[in-house]
């Protein structure tokens, strides 16, 4: 009986030894697998960090480029606005000067027609001439009013153009 117990113990010992060997192999496999996973995970993290840094750098570069382009466009538009303002001021001065010239011509013609009407009123030929002078003066007055209206419209138009830019 002792032999059979020893044999059973020996067999049980061998089975346990086999189990320990199998478990050791399984643990080594799991640890090795875990180590490989950790290495892959770390490599993936490094790759993602590098990719984020590259994208961030690219976005910063693009933003800088767009900022420079916007600045250049702004400078060009500012120059254009200043140029339009100078042209506008020049045209306003020209219009005022022309208006004053037309008013002066109209005053001279009115004075001339009044003097002629009073001195020629007794002659029919002169009367016709005086009436023609008055008609000319009225035509000039009407042209002057039209010029004033156009100048006002031009001023409004130019103001809208400047505001739009």
């Amino acid at each position: 009986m002792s032999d059979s117990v020893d044999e059973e113990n020996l067999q049980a010992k061998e089975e346990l030894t086999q189990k320990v060997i199998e478990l050791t192999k399984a643990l080594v496999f799991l640890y090795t697998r875990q180590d490989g996973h950790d290495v892959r995970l770390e490599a993936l993290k490094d790759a993602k960090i590098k990719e984020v840094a590259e994208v961030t750098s690219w976005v910063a570069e693009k933003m800088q480029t767009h900022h420079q382009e916007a600045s250049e466009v702004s400078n060009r538009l500012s120059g254009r606005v200043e140029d339009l303002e100078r042209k506008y001021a020049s045209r306003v001065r020209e219009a005022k000067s022309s208006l004053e010239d037309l008013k002066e011509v109209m005053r001279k013609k009115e004075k001339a027609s009044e003097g002629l009407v009073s001195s020629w009123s007794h002659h029919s030929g002169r009367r016709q001439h005086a009436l023609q002078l008055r008609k000319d003066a009225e035509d000039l007055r009407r042209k002057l009013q039209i010029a004033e209206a156009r100048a006002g419209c031009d001023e409004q138009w130019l103001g809208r153009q400047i505001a739009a830019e």
Side-chain angles (χ1 to χ4, degrees):
M1 188 161 164
S2 161
D3 271 342
S4 84
V5 172
D6 281 340
E7 202 172 297
E8 282 182 14
N9 282 341
L10 190 59
Q11 192 177 7
K13 208 177 192 184
E14 276 184 38
E15 284 179 15
L16 281 175
T17 303
Q18 277 304 97
K19 293 287 180 184
V20 167
I21 291 171
E22 287 176 15
L23 285 173
T24 303
K25 286 180 181 178
L27 285 174
V28 167
F29 174 74
L30 288 175
Y31 281 125
T32 304
R33 188 172 172 200
Q34 181 66 30
D35 287 344
H37 180 71
D38 289 343
V39 169
R40 284 192 308 275
L41 184 61
E42 193 62 35
L44 186 60
K45 283 181 185 177
D46 290 343
K48 290 299 174 187
I49 289 171
K50 183 179 177 185
E51 185 177 355
V52 167
E54 288 173 358
V55 169
T56 303
S57 173
W58 179 80
V59 168
E61 203 175 290
K62 287 294 180 184
M63 287 185 65
Q64 180 67 24
T65 301
H66 289 299
H67 177 71
Q68 287 173 348
E69 289 172 357
S71 179
E72 290 170 5
V73 168
S74 176
N75 290 339
R76 278 188 300 213
L77 287 177
S78 294
R80 177 100 169 108
V81 166
E82 289 172 2
D83 185 44
L84 286 173
E85 287 174 344
R86 281 192 300 275
K87 286 180 182 178
Y88 169 73
S90 173
R91 288 186 180 172
V92 166
R93 284 191 302 274
E94 289 173 7
K96 285 181 179 179
S97 175
S98 296
L99 183 64
E100 291 302 318
D101 292 346
L102 284 174
K103 283 181 180 179
E104 184 61 31
V105 167
M106 187 180 74
R107 279 192 291 271
K108 286 179 181 178
K109 289 209 176 202
E110 281 180 345
K111 281 183 182 179
S113 70
E114 287 174 4
L116 286 175
V117 167
S118 65
S119 68
W120 293 346
S121 60
H122 58 284
H123 299 292
S124 66
R126 289 181 179 172
R127 182 181 203 103
Q128 288 298 328
H129 187 64
L131 290 174
Q132 183 61 38
L133 285 175
R134 279 197 176 187
K135 183 180 174 190
D136 290 347
E138 287 299 318
D139 286 344
L140 279 173
R141 181 177 284 126
R142 191 173 61 255
K143 287 179 184 179
L144 179 62
Q145 289 171 346
I146 290 170
E148 285 177 332
R150 282 185 183 162
C153 289
D154 287 348
E155 186 173 347
Q156 291 172 355
W157 175 82
L158 192 52
R160 287 191 303 267
Q161 289 297 318
I162 289 172
E165 290 186 11

